[in-house]
Amino acid sequence: MIIPTEYQAGYAKAREIDPIVADHYMRHTMIGDPACDAVIDLLNTLPREKGYGWIERGIEDGPDAIPDAPELIRDFFADLEKPPAWFDHEATYAGGSAFFRNGEMFILAVTGAIMVEGFSTMMSKSFSITGRMVDGAVKRLQQNTRHIIEIMLPGGLDRQSDGWKLSLRTRLVHARVRNLLKHSDEWDTPAWGTPLSAAHISLAVCAFSALLLKRVGQLGVHLTTEERESFVHVWRYSGYLMGVQPDLDAATEADAMHLLAIGATCEPPPGMESIMLANAMINSSPLMVGLNEPAERQKWARWMHEVSRSLMGDEFADQLKYPPSRYRFISILTRIRWSNQIDQILRTMFPFIERKRHTHQFRRLLDISYYSDKGLRYTVPHHVHSEKDTQNEFR
């Protein structure tokens, strides 16, 4: 097994905790997504319009819609038409309901912690080189919110639903960016492994499922066991569509948290790219929620840095060069939890408040998501650097 040099110290520590999972994780830092990578390699040999026309029709209507496509492409879509045996559509409803009932807290946790923690791995080098997160952080935040909304809707992971299509589209974009980076002089494979590796895709899915449940719990959101299991189940299937490999498929919340712990131990400490990425996302969050005045943006960003630091801990926040905490007596998380508890009491006492809150939360989620009048777009990057890419409608 080849161990990229940047991982060697962390890998040695991780093997002392769980050698089997550590070995699985490290092996997958050198693996991308074999099935999807093969599709991208084939598309690179074909006229752009023709090849990606097959991709669009394949995502929308399956292999029967592209009888003229090469067998490799048709087989790729055919393998995804039927869900795996473990997937249960009805088991997704409780998790989706919990998400929409607490939508603002979930998105606060995603923006303030999950995207920072999930992407502060070696994955940050991919985003830094391409500029697709640092330069376009607002759109990335909005697109991630859109993806979460779509997979959490009732039936959002049905074959013809946008959650299913966005999950698969994300997989194809990852494969295309991986292909561009692997052929770029800026990527150092012996040191960093495969760009957007299978290990990182799995780690990101675990962060958006199990770690997100932990973070919203810190914000005062209490979910039932059924809701937690359902939430993880939704993300497990979305991760399957995004190409999570079987050896890194976390079936339960506990499995996902263990993989996160081992993966985080294997990863090197946050570098300059992680620092840039984390602060770009936090500083872009005011624009995501519609704040454009400089004073408002600065105030919101300070508040978000405080929330992020409180969720992730001082040690990690200091590594990311966050400003020091301004709260000396009552932490920001305590204030948020108190607010949520008061809100819960009022909703219990006055049911009409609960109904209005549900409507407000759903509208708010839509406001901070990326939607286009043109509908879903299936263009993928064609240049390793975002600013030089002509296909910038929905990368």
Side-chain angles (χ1 to χ4, degrees), residues 32-47 51-52 55 70 72-73 172 175-183 380:
D33 181 346
C36 198
D37 290 344
V39 170
I40 295 298
D41 287 339
L42 177 57
L43 292 177
N44 288 342
T45 68
L46 302 169
Y52 287 97
I55 292 299
L72 177 70
I73 295 177
L172 287 156
R176 177 57 177 161
V177 173
R178 186 183 305 118
N179 180 274
L180 290 169
L181 285 169
K182 285 176 68 175
H183 293 92
V380 297

Side-chain angles (χ1 to χ4, degrees), residues 309-322:
R309 171 181 282 277
S310 298
L311 288 171
M312 300 186 304
D314 288 332
E315 181 180 355
F316 192 57
D318 288 342
Q319 289 178 319
L320 296 174
K321 308 299 182 185
Y322 275 20

Side-chain angles (χ1 to χ4, degrees), residues 48 52 132 176 180 379-384 389-391:
R48 181 186 303 179
Y52 287 97
R132 286 182 167 82
R176 177 57 177 161
L180 290 169
T379 55
V380 297
H382 295 292
H383 195 284
V384 70
D389 202 324
T390 58
Q391 300 290 340

Side-chain angles (χ1 to χ4, degrees), residues 8-26:
Q8 290 176 2
Y11 172 55
K13 295 178 182 178
R15 288 202 94 251
E16 295 176 0
I17 304 170
D18 189 331
I20 295 176
V21 175
D23 287 351
H24 283 324
Y25 187 83
M26 286 311 308

Side-chain angles (χ1 to χ4, degrees), residues 45-91:
T45 68
L46 302 169
R48 181 186 303 179
E49 184 175 344
K50 184 175 185 178
Y52 287 97
W54 286 329
I55 292 299
E56 180 171 352
R57 296 197 303 276
I59 294 177
E60 286 290 338
D61 299 309
D64 292 342
I66 49 174
D68 56 331
E71 184 177 5
L72 177 70
I73 295 177
R74 288 186 283 109
D75 286 348
F76 173 76
F77 287 111
D79 288 342
L80 297 169
E81 286 295 304
K82 185 178 179 181
W86 51 260
F87 180 63
D88 179 1
H89 281 281
E90 292 188 1

